[in-house]
Amino acid sequence: MKPPAFVYHRPTSVAQARQMLRDAGADGKVLAGGQSLVPMLNMRLASPKELVDINRLGEELGALVVDDATVRVGALVRHARTERDEAAHAALPLLRQATRCVAHPTIRNRGTTVGSIVHADPAAELPAVLLLCDGRVELAGGGAIAAADLFVGPLETSLPTGELAVAAVFPRLPPRTGTAWVEVSRRAGDYALCGVGLTVTLDEDRRVSAARAAYISVGPTPTLIDLTDAVGGQPYDRADWAAAGALARSSVAPEEDIHATADYRLHLVVVLTERAGRSALSTMDSVVV
Amino acid sequence: MAAEKTYEVSLTVNGVPHTVSVPARRLLSDCLRHDLRLTGTHVGCEHGVCGACTVLLDGEPVRSCLTFAVSVDGQSVTTMEGCRSALGGLGPVQRAFMECHGLQCGFCTPGFVTTVTAFLRENPDPSAEEAREAIGGNLCRCTGYQNIVKSVLRAAEIRRTEGGS
């Protein structure tokens, strides 16, 4: 199908974009990569009256900046760039690990990291990554919203009406932290039936000091679970990831849909937690060898 | 109902500059097919799943059905028609698809050809596994993909031995 008619705005500055969004109020929607929005328009699942196209704001929103504390991804940074950026990968390997699983390369050429986050699809990878890193989204009007407060429900965030997210800020993880992203989908590039991002931090004796995981497609929002109770204090090579999987399983209540039963999703939570735990440690050669 | 507002959009398509006047909601796929009469770009699912409408935007594969023409004003687009060889006739990827029977009905083929053209520029000597991954975002309901993977590898061979994009 074809998208419904809308009033089109093409601001030339973030300030102007914000004003347009404020004027449009609940009728307005931001167009960045459009890889989630345009399908919804084409299928007439959404019909915003006004679209504010931020694709010309590359100067203000196109930067990906890595510093000692964070990776800051501007609202016009496409997935493909987040995935390929070597400095971002060195600072936070989880970003590339997860972004590689976002749809297909062709979609990643156009879709944006920040757009995926504020779209808040419970099956999407980047919202879970932001949550797992205790990240935040910065607003054009100043201030930021912490990931923990951002995801309210499926496709629903606490971003105020008329506000524009200008960047996602991913804090870097503590030293001796390994990460992994694993997921299962029916076909390559499909939304995951279940996906897990996991971080595990070792102490100086190479015992697990902290482990956390964020799960997608098993609830209305990405679900963060602290696994330290199951694996904390254990030597890195004998950590009981099966126990971590069991702990995660008891903490989620996925629903059944056409793609998978709730039981199958619970099974995946267990299996993928184990896989992610081992994989995260395997990326820490310099620490564990 | 008042006539829908239109916008002047300038696009360089396969090296040729065009200016069209289209409503904001005109998809790039429809702009190419209807406004510019370049029907080599095919429209399958129209929600980004099938890959038939894939074109190169400033050299990078994108779904033209998920892109508004107005949003890419001033940019360059390469379509199936632009994947011919510089001298005319079939380009290396098109030739490989013909030689290896990489198509049957041909509906999905433009999306494969554009995707593979960009892929081989980045990775001129792919493994079969890499070729398979590169076409993961394109659906074909005829071939079963085996001959498409062969076509990708054959296209790489043609490019290496005979040059061409």
Side-chain angles (χ1 to χ4, degrees), chain B residues 17-66:
Chain B
H18 296 273
T19 300
V20 292
S21 185
V22 295
R25 60 170 159 160
R26 178 80 88 239
L27 299 169
L28 178 59
S29 46
D30 290 337
C31 178
L32 292 167
R33 289 178 55 84
H34 300 177
D35 298 293
L36 299 177
R37 299 280 166 186
L38 291 167
T39 52
T41 300
H42 289 179
V43 175
C45 71
E46 219 160 48
H47 59 272
V49 172
C50 77
C53 72
T54 305
V55 300
L56 309 184
L57 181 66
D58 290 339
E60 298 266 288
V62 301
R63 300 282 200 251
S64 61
C65 80
L66 298 188

Side-chain angles (χ1 to χ4, degrees), chain A residues 135-222:
Chain A
R136 59 189 182 272
V137 165
E138 292 181 352
L139 310 179
I145 301 176
D149 302 323
L150 183 65
F151 304 110
V152 174
L155 310 185
E156 193 184 350
T157 69
S158 58
L159 205 68
T161 301
E163 189 51 272
L164 172 68
V166 291
V169 180
F170 301 86
R172 296 173 67 162
L173 297 167
R176 293 186 303 276
T177 299
T179 63
W181 184 275
V182 292
E183 65 177 49
V184 167
S185 57
R186 291 175 73 93
R187 288 169 297 261
D190 279 10
Y191 279 116
L193 300 175
C194 175
V196 183
L198 186 144
T199 65
V200 52
T201 305
L202 302 183
D203 64 19
E204 284 174 0
D205 298 323
R206 296 188 294 186
R207 290 172 184 274
V208 175
S209 60
R212 301 203 305 172
Y215 296 80
I216 61 170
S217 293
V218 294
T221 60

Side-chain angles (χ1 to χ4, degrees), chain A residues 33 35 55 76-81 83-84 99 102-112, chain B residues 54-57 59-63 115 118-119 122:
Chain A
Q35 302 300 284
N55 281 284
L76 254 192
V77 175
R78 319 271 172 194
H79 290 299
R81 178 143 161 249
E83 177 186 353
R84 287 175 200 163
T99 302
V102 176
H104 308 287
T106 307
I107 300 288
R108 298 201 291 274
N109 282 338
R110 191 84 189 141
T112 64
Chain B
T54 305
V55 300
L56 309 184
L57 181 66
E60 298 266 288
V62 301
R63 300 282 200 251
T115 302
F119 169 65
E122 266 191 31

